[in-house]
Amino acid sequence: MLHGKRILLIISGGIAAYKCLDLIRRLRERGASVRCVLTDAATQFVTPLSVSALSEDRVYGDLFSLTDEAEMGHIQLSRDADLLVVAPATTNIMAKMAQGIGDDLATTVLLATDKDVLVAPSMNVRMWEHAATQENITTLKSRGIRFAGPTEGNMACGEFGEGRMVEPLEIVAEIETYFAASAPLAGRRAVVTSGPTLEAIDPVRYIANRSSGKQGHAIAAALAGMGAETILVTGPTSEAAPPGVEVHHIESAREMYDACMSALPADIAVCAAAVADWRPAEQGDSKIKKEHDAAPPRIEMIENPDILRTLSAAGNQRPALVVGFAAETDNLIENATSKRKRKGCDWIVANDVSPETGTFGGETNTVHLITGTDTEAWPAMRKTDVADRLAERIAHHFDQNTEAAE
Ligand code: CTP
């Protein structure tokens, strides 16, 4: 869900600061990058070294550091972020935010930002209940500052009550909700196919292809990152399940077909899998034996269902946007253009899979996007960048269509 999101985490000086180490880890696991600003007081609770090791970035803290300002000014810190998170937020930092005080790097960044801010308060119950704190909270909420918690519970000071910082995973959930609501593909459902299919000859042998699943998996991750509810139907690959994606593992083309059909209805279908066109007509239950002196077996092949073509002609179940891939070794544009028409899909991504391109199994891809009105040549780029660009194009397409309908 947080693929590619940039979080600026401001850690102020409360005992709950130790939980931020886990928060950083959880955010990064979900694909976010986390840059951290520590107040002086925060460094009494967690060390910049731990924060830096977990965020894999340098840690910022000094407003007047000439090196920091030269490399990354306080304005740039907030410009480079998609969301600011203050966790833990002490009563002191919230008071400064409410009053517009900027007397260190953390508070100056908070004053200088035009990005949304999520605050996870952490303090003693009496400090939380104090009229001054409550007035500050009212002020901050009226300015659109978002709050995660606090919650009620036992406190480090031995008291019980409201003021405990919510657990890291709850802060993560708030952050995910924030991005999901504003994500360009929020409320859309996408089905993506990826990887090869395996077609059994007998219980031990099969016919397969060289697809690695890298491109399809990256597309599923990019669509999920833009807020689409994403179902990935994949043949066997060594790719990890993309975060926030519902993965269905299949082996044969027929299983991929069934999984895709039962994933409908969907708004978007992207067929990036290298589906076997044919399968052995007979798939016996026992291993074909090599008889001495006998001729090698002849394997009769029959056609597999065409998933892309079926999705494109699915009547009222047809996804609003169906995108196919054309894996070609010759006459790329010509073949892909006629493939788009033949399959009935809206767009086709044409890629040259000749062995010298290294596309199958490699990290990069050089594609053309053929939409029917345009043929765009994209430069060679990483498969993850192809995926991000395609997801952006898909979001833009839905944006335009929504505007046109209004
Ligand atoms: N595809 C599919 N189901 C199949 C075969 C292909 O969904 N049984 C999809 C692929 O996922 C891809 C597109 O159709 O999006 C084109 O696949 P490709 O292998 O390039 O084309 P083929 O239909 O197999 O045609 P050819 O082998 O003649 O190039």
Side-chain angles (χ1 to χ4, degrees):
M1 276 307 292
L2 298 176
H3 173 73
K5 297 286 179 269
R6 299 162 307 168
I7 311 287
L8 183 65
L9 176 63
I10 295 174
I11 306 175
S12 67
I15 182 66
Y18 79 92
K19 291 187 181 173
C20 280
L21 300 177
D22 193 33
L23 175 62
I24 296 167
R25 196 170 65 88
R26 304 285 185 177
L27 290 169
R28 296 203 60 220
E29 270 170 9
R30 286 159 178 78
S33 63
V34 187
R35 177 163 276 163
C36 298
V37 173
L38 266 69
T39 64
D40 273 352
T43 60
Q44 302 292 322
F45 295 94
V46 278
T47 70
L49 183 62
S50 321
V51 173
S52 172
L54 284 162
S55 62
E56 287 189 72
D57 196 352
R58 54 160 308 178
V59 169
Y60 296 83
D62 185 356
L63 177 60
F64 301 109
S65 156
L66 285 177
T67 6
D68 281 8
E69 276 296 306
E71 286 169 9
M72 173 66 67
H74 58 284
I75 309 286
Q76 196 61 34
L77 276 170
S78 94
R79 262 192 210 141
D80 280 359
D82 298 309
L83 176 71
L84 273 61
V85 177
V86 188
T90 58
T91 191
N92 188 44
I93 200 164
M94 289 199 299
K96 288 187 190 177
M97 287 168 74
Q99 296 306 311
I101 295 170
D103 62 354
D104 60 6
L105 183 65
T107 48
T108 315
V109 168
L110 285 161
L111 266 180
T113 191
D114 58 356
K115 302 292 167 60
D116 284 326
V117 179
L118 173 76
V119 159
S122 165
M123 67 201 69
N124 163 273
V125 56
R126 267 165 250 300
M127 292 168 88
W128 173 253
E129 285 171 354
H130 196 284
T133 308
Q134 289 302 316
E135 273 174 36
N136 288 335
I137 290 161
T138 308
T139 305
L140 293 176
K141 284 188 175 165
S142 73
R143 291 186 196 145
I145 303 287
R146 289 147 208 274
F147 278 75
T151 179
E152 211 179 57
N154 290 322
M155 309 209 140
C157 55
E159 292 190 64
F160 178 90
E162 205 174 354
R164 248 171 74 110
M165 187 172 89
V166 289
E167 293 304 316
L169 278 179
E170 290 170 68
I171 301 176
V172 170
E174 287 290 337
I175 295 172
E176 284 178 336
T177 307
Y178 168 79
F179 284 116
S182 58
L185 290 173
R188 309 269 179 205
R189 187 174 154 94
V191 182
V192 179
T193 69
S194 182
T197 63
L198 307 191
E199 308 298 331
I201 297 171
D202 66 16
V204 292
R205 305 180 181 93
Y206 59 77
I207 297 170
N209 60 65
R210 294 182 191 279
S211 170
S212 63
K214 285 186 202 292
Q215 188 62 83
H217 278 59
I219 291 167
L223 291 171
M226 289 206 169
E229 178 193 352
T230 306
I231 294 111
L232 174 65
V233 182
T234 178
T237 79
S238 53
E239 289 297 294
V245 170
E246 184 183 320
V247 185
H248 293 252
H249 294 279
I250 54 83
E251 284 205 339
S252 69
R254 283 179 299 168
E255 287 166 2
M256 183 173 271
Y257 176 92
D258 289 343
C260 288
M261 295 310 140
S262 42
L264 296 180
D267 303 286
I268 303 156
V270 181
C271 293
V275 186
D277 291 319
W278 310 282
R279 67 176 182 276
E282 304 286 336
Q283 293 164 21
D285 291 336
S286 29
K287 187 181 170 201
I288 302 170
K289 298 300 290 175
K290 187 174 66 179
E291 304 294 349
H292 187 61
D293 277 349
R298 288 188 172 277
I299 300 172
E300 195 198 332
M301 305 290 277
I302 54 170
E303 201 167 329
N304 267 328
D306 191 315
I307 300 158
L308 178 61
R309 196 198 293 256
T310 311
L311 286 170
S312 302
N316 60 2
Q317 288 276 78
R318 185 194 196 277
L321 184 68
V322 181
V323 184
F325 268 71
E328 307 292 342
T329 51
D330 311 286
N331 303 330
L332 180 67
I333 306 296
E334 205 180 304
N335 282 344
T337 305
S338 62
K339 194 170 276 180
R340 190 186 77 83
K341 293 207 183 104
R342 206 168 62 243
K343 301 263 185 175
C345 57
D346 301 295
W347 299 352
I348 206 147
V349 181
N351 56 353
D352 189 342
V353 292
S354 313
E356 63 276 14
T357 63
T359 301
F360 264 143
E363 294 298 330
T364 59
N365 206 352
T366 310
V367 307
H368 287 73
L369 178 66
I370 302 174
T371 63
T373 46
D374 278 318
T375 297
E376 294 170 20
W378 292 4
M381 55 180 113
R382 289 184 313 171
K383 288 182 176 173
T384 46
D385 294 331
V386 170
D388 289 344
R389 191 155 163 178
L390 183 65
E392 273 161 27
R393 288 298 309 266
I394 291 173
H396 182 64
H397 169 84
F398 279 100
D399 243 18
Q400 276 184 325
N401 283 12
T402 318
E403 270 171 30
E406 279 166 4

